[in-house]
Amino acid sequence: MDRCPLCKSKDNQWLVADTKRDYFRCLQCALIYADPTTHLTSFQEKYVYDQHQNNPDDDCYRQFLGRLATPLVTRLPSPPLFGLDFGSGPGPTLSVMLAEMGYTMTIYDPYFAVQSAVLNGQYDFVTCTEAIEHFYQPAKEWGLLLRLVKPGGWLGIMTKLVTDTDAFGHWYYKNDPTHVSFFSRNTFCFLAQRDGLEVEFVGNDVILLRKPQ
């Protein structure tokens, strides 16, 4: 069996299948991941993203993103600070919200804001909302996120967490064909311990991690 795409362990097993793909679970880091042979092409993936209607004028969307923004800013020093919104999507909004609070924001998205130069820097904080579940190569992308955060800085993630492995086969979140990597609290605790990070869970879908000084 292939190695886990996040921790590279060989200790993983088939979990469940639906009508479209199989899912596997790593017994070391607890990541659940879709069969890589069923990943969409870049063209197919972007077509799905193009259907999203997110924009900074949508108050409901702002409230949704506030679930990450509010607890994050309470942990940050006062501006000026530099932040990066990684996976900003077709209608960048979180970056706008944080800029309104006085932070200097940069965005990156592999489809909608391809500014590779911004990945060469480091930031006081990095946000990644509803994006990590799309990572085809989570080991590579996780490593990139950590490199982007300055020592002592924060990484704020929003993603739906797996709470019941037995019920995963009936979970609506896995039905989005662009969702391929499914994290749980155990996964983030594994990463935090391995990489020397502080980790906090806020509500059901917000994870705040702090990089050591």
Side-chain angles (χ1 to χ4, degrees):
M1 186 177 292
D2 290 339
R3 292 178 181 270
C4 168
L6 178 61
C7 73
K8 301 304 181 181
S9 171
K10 290 184 177 180
D11 194 11
N12 50 75
Q13 64 184 16
W14 179 87
L15 178 64
V16 71
D18 58 21
T19 58
K20 295 183 178 180
R21 52 191 182 176
D22 289 89
Y23 302 86
F24 301 88
R25 181 174 185 268
C26 177
L27 300 180
Q28 177 167 274
C29 72
L31 183 79
I32 296 175
Y33 56 97
D35 180 355
T37 65
T38 63
H39 288 176
L40 301 183
T41 65
S42 296
F43 177 83
Q44 293 169 326
E45 191 178 26
K46 185 175 183 299
Y47 176 81
V48 175
Y49 298 153
D50 282 337
Q51 312 311 307
H52 294 178
Q53 301 297 318
N54 303 330
N55 72 78
D57 297 323
D58 185 336
D59 288 339
C60 290
Y61 189 47
R62 279 176 169 256
Q63 291 176 17
F64 171 73
L65 294 175
R67 301 215 304 264
L68 183 144
T70 299
L72 176 62
V73 298
T74 63
R75 290 159 175 79
L76 294 175
S78 300
L81 291 178
F82 294 87
L84 170 69
D85 187 25
F86 186 95
S88 52
T93 301
L94 182 57
S95 58
V96 174
M97 294 167 58
L98 290 166
E100 291 170 351
M101 298 178 195
Y103 300 99
T104 300
M105 296 300 300
T106 301
I107 62 172
Y108 176 81
D109 190 280
Y111 291 113
F112 303 102
V114 187
Q115 308 174 87
S116 298
V118 308
L119 302 181
N120 296 326
Q122 283 194 307
Y123 302 86
D124 298 299
F125 63 93
V126 174
T127 57
C128 184
T129 57
E130 293 293 314
I132 199 169
E133 64 274 9
H134 302 281
F135 287 178
Y136 282 6
Q137 302 177 69
K140 177 182 177 181
E141 291 148 334
W142 177 257
L144 173 59
L145 289 175
L146 292 188
R147 289 196 300 275
L148 290 167
V149 179
K150 291 179 180 179
W154 289 86
L155 173 59
I157 293 172
M158 179 184 285
T159 190
K160 292 289 186 295
L161 296 174
V162 177
T163 58
D164 186 341
T165 303
D166 293 335
F168 181 85
H170 304 289
W171 193 28
Y172 79 95
Y173 200 61
K174 72 168 181 56
N175 296 333
D176 184 326
T178 67
H179 290 181
V180 298
S181 296
F182 305 92
F183 294 70
S184 65
R185 286 193 174 213
N186 287 340
T187 310
F188 283 110
C189 287
F190 169 87
L191 293 170
Q193 182 176 27
R194 186 194 68 180
D195 298 330
L197 309 170
E198 298 175 20
V199 61
E200 297 180 57
F201 297 96
V202 182
N204 297 323
D205 58 359
V206 172
I207 305 94
L208 301 177
L209 302 112
R210 192 177 190 189
K211 195 172 180 179
Q213 290 282 0

